[in-house]
Amino acid sequence: MVQEEGGQAISWRSPKVEELFAYLVCKVSVSRDEIADTLWEGFPLDKAMKNLNSTVYYVRKALQQFGMEECLITTRKQISLDTKRIYCDLYEFQQMQNLAWKTEKEMERLKEIYRGELFQGKTYEWSFAKAHTLEKNMISNLLKAGELREDQNRTEEAERMYLHALELDPYHEGASDRLLDFYNRTGRKKKEKQLRKEIGLLLSDEVPHPLLFLKKHF
């Protein structure tokens, strides 16, 4: 949700108005043609553009209630957001995502603002690729942070990082391999064996879901 940090959430007139704003949050600057093709796919161009214009009006009207209307910039061909005028946890995450694992404070902040689902679980098909990239980057940070803590002999914290990564994606091969290797190196054979069973790496007639293990130990 885009808002002033710690501020009030915006109430949208309709799901399509909210979706348009979400699309702009992701794209920042995008052509009217692309928006029409994406949000009104299959509509005749003139009708799609008419819907777009009215939806832009309601986005601006919603922002106006908070004095934020100037962050929406429109031209004949383009619609943009002035990201300097708004706070968005997505933008903060993207700014931090490459190096956050290197410092304690930034890693904790990254974990705080990453809530697992882009747009709080709203299923916009156009956002799936973006959501996958964000999850991939978060897992990468967690694994690197785990490695760093291992190097510093902070094994309990390293384990928590690896478990967190696997919780985000229980079938992530890199995360499961890293955790199994960690248990092997630190002599935690019982946990290693249990995790192997849970993620289906050992032959078994019935393999429980990996999250059963994670809920016990995360």
Side-chain angles (χ1 to χ4, degrees):
M1 173 57 67
V2 176
Q3 57 186 44
E4 293 184 7
E5 195 167 12
Q8 184 178 355
I10 295 174
S11 177
W12 302 104
R13 185 176 188 272
S14 71
K16 187 59 74 174
V17 175
E18 183 175 11
E19 183 178 6
L20 173 58
F21 189 70
Y23 194 75
L24 293 172
V25 167
C26 272
K27 296 287 187 173
V28 179
S29 185
V30 62
S31 71
R32 288 177 178 267
D33 287 343
E34 181 181 329
I35 298 173
D37 288 344
T38 303
L39 270 61
W40 288 277
E41 183 181 4
F43 279 57
L45 181 59
D46 58 341
K47 186 171 183 180
M49 286 300 180
K50 184 177 180 180
N51 287 341
L52 173 58
N53 289 335
S54 63
T55 306
V56 167
Y57 168 80
Y58 286 115
V59 169
R60 190 182 299 280
K61 190 172 182 180
L63 294 175
Q64 192 173 27
Q65 300 175 45
F66 299 89
M68 296 170 60
E69 66 274 15
E70 291 184 5
C71 76
L72 183 64
I73 303 167
T74 59
T75 66
R76 288 180 63 252
K77 294 186 176 182
Q78 202 86 1
I79 303 177
S80 308
L81 284 181
D82 184 350
T83 58
K84 294 179 181 179
R85 292 177 177 269
I86 58 176
Y87 166 77
C88 178
D89 52 8
L90 172 62
Y91 301 153
E92 184 180 358
F93 181 90
Q94 290 178 150
Q95 289 173 353
M96 298 172 62
Q97 65 186 359
N98 293 325
L99 300 174
W101 63 272
K102 290 187 174 182
T103 64
E104 189 87 20
K105 183 178 180 180
E106 291 195 357
M107 192 61 217
E108 288 305 309
R109 178 57 181 164
L110 202 69
K111 288 163 62 180
E112 180 182 341
I113 61 178
Y114 184 83
R115 299 168 190 171
E117 291 186 326
L118 188 61
F119 303 125
Q120 299 178 346
K122 290 184 171 61
T123 54
Y124 303 136
E125 186 175 348
W126 51 262
S127 71
F128 291 167
K130 180 81 167 182
H132 177 72
T133 298
L134 294 172
E135 181 183 271
K136 180 180 176 182
N137 290 340
M138 184 64 196
I139 290 174
S140 177
N141 270 278
L142 288 164
L143 297 181
K144 288 178 180 178
E147 286 183 342
L148 179 62
R149 281 151 182 74
E150 274 198 79
D151 292 342
Q152 298 169 340
N153 294 317
R154 298 157 64 188
T155 56
E156 297 303 321
E157 293 178 35
E159 181 183 17
R160 284 197 292 272
M161 294 293 172
Y162 296 146
L163 283 169
H164 193 163
L166 201 54
E167 184 185 59
L168 293 178
D169 182 359
Y171 300 100
H172 191 284
E173 186 175 349
S176 58
D177 287 348
R178 190 69 55 83
L179 186 55
L180 288 168
D181 188 50
F182 168 78
Y183 285 150
N184 181 57
R185 288 195 314 274
T186 55
R188 306 178 188 201
K189 299 299 182 182
K190 186 176 180 180
K191 284 190 174 184
E192 180 187 355
K193 184 177 180 180
Q194 184 179 359
L195 180 57
R196 285 186 183 278
K197 289 180 179 179
E198 297 289 354
I199 62 177
L201 297 179
L202 292 180
L203 295 177
S204 175
D205 292 334
E206 183 177 355
V207 181
H209 193 284
L211 281 178
L212 294 177
F213 174 84
L214 297 175
K215 288 177 180 177
K216 295 174 187 174
H217 296 277
F218 183 67

